[in-house]
Short mmCIF file of all heavy atoms in Angstrom, two decimals:
data_model
loop_
_atom_site.label_atom_id
_atom_site.label_comp_id
_atom_site.label_asym_id
_atom_site.label_seq_id
_atom_site.Cartn_x
_atom_site.Cartn_y
_atom_site.Cartn_z
N GLU A 321 -32.17 2.24 -6.88
CA GLU A 321 -31.46 1.17 -6.15
C GLU A 321 -32.23 0.80 -4.88
O GLU A 321 -32.36 -0.38 -4.55
CB GLU A 321 -30.06 1.68 -5.79
CG GLU A 321 -29.04 0.60 -5.67
CD GLU A 321 -27.63 1.15 -5.62
OE1 GLU A 321 -27.27 1.99 -6.48
OE2 GLU A 321 -26.90 0.77 -4.72
N ILE A 322 -32.75 1.81 -4.20
CA ILE A 322 -33.54 1.56 -2.98
C ILE A 322 -34.77 0.72 -3.34
O ILE A 322 -35.09 -0.27 -2.67
CB ILE A 322 -33.96 2.91 -2.32
CG1 ILE A 322 -32.72 3.60 -1.73
CG2 ILE A 322 -35.03 2.71 -1.26
CD1 ILE A 322 -32.97 5.00 -1.20
N GLU A 323 -35.44 1.10 -4.43
CA GLU A 323 -36.65 0.36 -4.84
C GLU A 323 -36.32 -1.08 -5.20
O GLU A 323 -37.04 -2.00 -4.84
CB GLU A 323 -37.33 1.06 -6.03
CG GLU A 323 -38.07 2.33 -5.65
CD GLU A 323 -38.94 2.17 -4.40
OE1 GLU A 323 -39.71 1.19 -4.32
OE2 GLU A 323 -38.83 3.00 -3.49
N GLN A 324 -35.20 -1.26 -5.93
CA GLN A 324 -34.81 -2.62 -6.33
C GLN A 324 -34.53 -3.49 -5.11
O GLN A 324 -34.94 -4.65 -5.05
CB GLN A 324 -33.57 -2.58 -7.21
CG GLN A 324 -33.91 -2.33 -8.68
CD GLN A 324 -32.69 -1.87 -9.48
OE1 GLN A 324 -31.56 -2.01 -9.04
NE2 GLN A 324 -32.95 -1.31 -10.65
N LEU A 325 -33.84 -2.93 -4.13
CA LEU A 325 -33.54 -3.70 -2.93
C LEU A 325 -34.82 -4.08 -2.20
O LEU A 325 -35.01 -5.22 -1.78
CB LEU A 325 -32.61 -2.90 -2.00
CG LEU A 325 -31.14 -2.85 -2.42
CD1 LEU A 325 -30.37 -1.87 -1.56
CD2 LEU A 325 -30.47 -4.22 -2.35
N LYS A 326 -35.72 -3.10 -2.09
CA LYS A 326 -36.99 -3.37 -1.40
C LYS A 326 -37.74 -4.49 -2.12
O LYS A 326 -38.29 -5.38 -1.49
CB LYS A 326 -37.86 -2.10 -1.40
CG LYS A 326 -37.48 -1.10 -0.34
CD LYS A 326 -38.57 -0.06 -0.32
CE LYS A 326 -38.34 1.15 0.48
NZ LYS A 326 -39.27 2.23 0.11
N ALA A 327 -37.73 -4.44 -3.46
CA ALA A 327 -38.45 -5.46 -4.24
C ALA A 327 -37.87 -6.85 -4.00
O ALA A 327 -38.57 -7.86 -4.10
CB ALA A 327 -38.40 -5.11 -5.72
N LEU A 328 -36.58 -6.89 -3.66
CA LEU A 328 -35.94 -8.19 -3.40
C LEU A 328 -36.05 -8.58 -1.93
O LEU A 328 -35.44 -9.54 -1.47
CB LEU A 328 -34.45 -8.14 -3.80
CG LEU A 328 -34.19 -8.05 -5.31
CD1 LEU A 328 -32.75 -7.65 -5.59
CD2 LEU A 328 -34.49 -9.38 -5.98
N GLY A 329 -36.80 -7.77 -1.18
CA GLY A 329 -37.03 -8.09 0.23
C GLY A 329 -35.94 -7.59 1.17
O GLY A 329 -35.86 -8.03 2.32
N VAL A 330 -35.07 -6.70 0.68
CA VAL A 330 -33.99 -6.18 1.54
C VAL A 330 -34.46 -4.87 2.18
O VAL A 330 -34.93 -3.97 1.49
CB VAL A 330 -32.71 -5.93 0.70
CG1 VAL A 330 -31.60 -5.35 1.57
CG2 VAL A 330 -32.26 -7.21 0.02
N SER A 331 -34.33 -4.79 3.50
CA SER A 331 -34.78 -3.60 4.21
C SER A 331 -33.77 -2.44 4.03
O SER A 331 -32.57 -2.67 4.06
CB SER A 331 -34.94 -3.91 5.70
OG SER A 331 -34.97 -2.71 6.44
N VAL A 332 -34.29 -1.22 3.89
CA VAL A 332 -33.39 -0.06 3.82
C VAL A 332 -33.58 0.85 5.04
O VAL A 332 -33.24 2.02 5.01
CB VAL A 332 -33.59 0.74 2.50
CG1 VAL A 332 -33.06 -0.03 1.31
CG2 VAL A 332 -35.04 1.12 2.28
N ASP A 333 -34.13 0.25 6.10
CA ASP A 333 -34.41 1.03 7.31
C ASP A 333 -33.13 1.58 7.94
O ASP A 333 -33.18 2.54 8.69
CB ASP A 333 -35.11 0.14 8.36
CG ASP A 333 -36.53 -0.16 7.94
OD1 ASP A 333 -36.98 0.43 6.94
OD2 ASP A 333 -37.18 -1.00 8.60
N LYS A 334 -31.99 0.93 7.65
CA LYS A 334 -30.76 1.36 8.29
C LYS A 334 -29.81 2.04 7.30
O LYS A 334 -28.60 2.02 7.45
CB LYS A 334 -30.08 0.18 8.99
CG LYS A 334 -30.93 -0.27 10.17
CD LYS A 334 -30.27 -1.29 11.01
CE LYS A 334 -30.62 -1.12 12.46
NZ LYS A 334 -29.52 -0.59 13.23
N LEU A 335 -30.43 2.63 6.28
CA LEU A 335 -29.63 3.39 5.31
C LEU A 335 -29.65 4.87 5.71
O LEU A 335 -30.69 5.41 6.05
CB LEU A 335 -30.24 3.22 3.90
CG LEU A 335 -29.59 4.03 2.79
CD1 LEU A 335 -28.16 3.55 2.54
CD2 LEU A 335 -30.39 3.94 1.51
N PHE A 336 -28.47 5.48 5.66
CA PHE A 336 -28.36 6.90 6.03
C PHE A 336 -27.55 7.63 4.96
O PHE A 336 -26.60 7.06 4.41
CB PHE A 336 -27.66 7.05 7.38
CG PHE A 336 -28.38 6.32 8.49
CD1 PHE A 336 -27.99 5.03 8.84
CD2 PHE A 336 -29.45 6.90 9.15
CE1 PHE A 336 -28.67 4.33 9.84
CE2 PHE A 336 -30.12 6.21 10.15
CZ PHE A 336 -29.74 4.92 10.49
#
Side-chain angles (χ1 to χ4, degrees):
E321 208 167 310
I322 291 174
E323 285 314 311
Q324 275 163 16
L325 283 171
K326 280 190 190 163
L328 290 165
V330 178
S331 163
V332 289
D333 288 353
K334 292 188 146 253
L335 176 67
F336 302 94

